Amino acid sequence: MTKAEDVLLFGALAFVWGTAFTAIEIGLETIPPLLFAAARLDIAAFIFVGAVLLSRIQWLPRTKADIALILSNGILVIGAHFAFSFIGQSYVTSGVAAIVLSFTPIITPVIAIRILPAERIYSTDVLGLCTGLVGVVAIATAGGSFDGQLLGVGLLLASAIVFALGSVLTERWTAILPALSLHAWSMITGAVFLHVTAYTYSGASFRTVTWTPSAAAALTYLGIFATAGGFLLYFTLLNRIGATNVSLINYASPVVATIFGATLLGEQITIATIAGFALIVVGFVLCNIRPLWRLTRSIRNVGVSDQVLERDEVRIQGNVYTTKTDSQNYLQPSD
């Protein structure tokens, strides 16, 4: 991210996705988890469908790839992911939930190797996965807790796995449906999946919910800003700065979630949680050491290419040299 606009967009996404965990914690006080997740998608789906209609773009799926992507995104990336994460967060704090979900970029390459034949596994991938798992275990067993905390972390880990699985599966198909329409159908599919699951799981419906001003505000924030606005920011950044840069959001949003959870909800930040998060970050770096290295080099090259050259300087393959003319012509590196 070398442009101020990209940094601002990244910061906005980290804020809305990080504070989403705080909003979930508030809403879970009175709204059943699965119904809460479904209602969040209802609002986002309404916004996406409205955007599709206003844009007058193609909206009807036409190919098997379109349908496969809608089902994969709707059921796995959105539906099952939210189902596990909302139930899981009902057992743990918002900061812990955000940190455990940051395990997603670590498990994604491992799943990709099993599904996408072009993918290869490296020793750093295995080491990164093991390091990240140690971090998750450290968080799950913090303070010797083997009751609700462990169950919550397990559900959140399942959420990370189904999200990664759905994301990898999307690489197998190429849709002709416009991205906006694809996301609208995915939101609808996820909402239907969660409503059916909520009713089957606990018989929850909107008639059984005790609506409070704080719960209504949390739901509105999640549906409009964290989901509809968040996904819009996410896909905008994906096109502008690439997947490797965007994946770093998984480590910015937990910091925001932890700060807001401690400030607004009085959640405690333990040493075990911080250590676990540090191990997960190390695991991510190990699993993505090659793309991160390429990213670092590209940023450095961009910085060099933006330099204004002096009269006696020339740029060759990203390096700046000073030219001097005396008894013979030669090039020497510029300081």
Side-chain angles (χ1 to χ4, degrees):
M1 289 175 286
T2 57
K3 297 181 180 179
E5 185 177 351
D6 295 338
V7 175
L8 289 175
L9 290 174
F10 186 89
L13 181 59
F15 179 83
V16 296
W17 276 5
T19 52
F21 290 94
T22 306
I24 292 172
E25 200 74 22
I26 294 172
L28 286 174
E29 294 178 359
T30 56
I31 307 176
L34 292 175
L35 186 64
F36 191 16
R40 171 184 183 174
L41 289 178
D42 289 338
I43 297 174
F46 180 81
I47 294 174
F48 270 91
V49 169
V52 170
L53 295 177
L54 290 175
S55 301
R56 296 183 179 181
I57 58 178
Q58 178 186 334
W59 63 273
L60 191 64
R62 294 184 179 181
T63 66
K64 292 181 179 179
D66 288 341
I67 296 175
L69 279 169
I70 290 171
L71 292 176
S72 177
N73 285 335
I75 295 176
L76 294 175
V77 175
I78 296 176
H81 164 60
F82 278 164
F84 285 123
S85 64
F86 272 63
I87 298 176
Q89 191 171 334
S90 65
Y91 293 97
V92 301
T93 65
S94 59
V96 168
I99 290 172
V100 175
L101 287 177
S102 68
F103 184 73
T104 303
I106 298 178
I107 195 65
T108 301
V110 179
I111 295 176
I113 291 166
R114 304 295 300 176
I115 296 177
L116 304 178
E119 296 292 329
R120 294 179 56 191
I121 188 170
Y122 297 89
S123 57
T124 51
D125 296 328
V126 177
L127 183 59
L129 176 64
C130 294
T131 304
L133 280 173
V134 171
V136 172
V137 171
I139 295 171
T141 59
S145 174
F146 287 94
D147 47 12
Q149 170 101 344
L150 183 60
L151 176 59
V153 170
L155 289 169
L156 289 162
L157 188 59
S159 175
I161 292 173
V162 296
F163 184 92
L165 175 61
S167 300
V168 171
L169 286 175
T170 60
E171 298 292 329
R172 302 185 63 177
W173 304 293
T174 302
I176 65 171
L177 197 66
L180 190 61
S181 300
L182 180 66
H183 301 324
W185 279 109
S186 299
M187 293 288 177
I188 295 172
T189 303
V192 171
F193 172 85
L194 284 169
H195 275 295
V196 172
T197 305
Y199 186 79
T200 304
Y201 177 73
S202 61
S205 65
F206 290 126
R207 292 177 297 179
T208 62
V209 175
T210 301
W211 291 99
T212 63
S214 58
L219 176 59
T220 303
Y221 179 79
L222 285 172
I224 297 176
F225 296 98
T227 308
F231 275 102
L232 179 61
L233 284 170
Y234 175 80
F235 289 111
T236 300
L237 280 168
L238 191 63
N239 291 329
R240 291 173 63 96
I241 63 177
T244 301
N245 264 318
V246 174
S247 66
L248 297 176
I249 200 67
N250 293 279
Y251 303 96
S253 55
V255 175
V256 176
T258 302
I259 293 173
F260 272 80
T263 303
L264 300 181
L265 305 177
E267 296 176 350
Q268 293 185 347
I269 305 174
T270 66
I271 298 298
T273 301
I274 297 174
F277 182 51
L279 287 171
I280 292 174
V281 172
V282 172
F284 169 80
V285 173
L286 290 171
C287 286
N288 295 273
I289 193 166
R290 284 166 297 280
L292 286 174
W293 172 248
R294 290 193 296 268
L295 174 63
T296 303
R297 292 184 62 186
S298 66
I299 291 175
R300 185 166 59 244
N301 290 337
V302 168
V304 171
S305 64
D306 288 341
Q307 294 177 1
V308 178
L309 298 181
E310 300 295 336
R311 176 184 300 178
D312 296 329
E313 291 182 338
V314 61
R315 181 181 294 111
I316 300 176
Q317 295 182 348
N319 298 313
V320 178
Y321 296 87
T322 298
T323 62
K324 291 184 178 180
T325 304
D326 45 21
S327 58
Q328 54 179 224
N329 295 328
Y330 64 97
L331 296 176
Q332 67 177 32
S334 175
D335 293 333

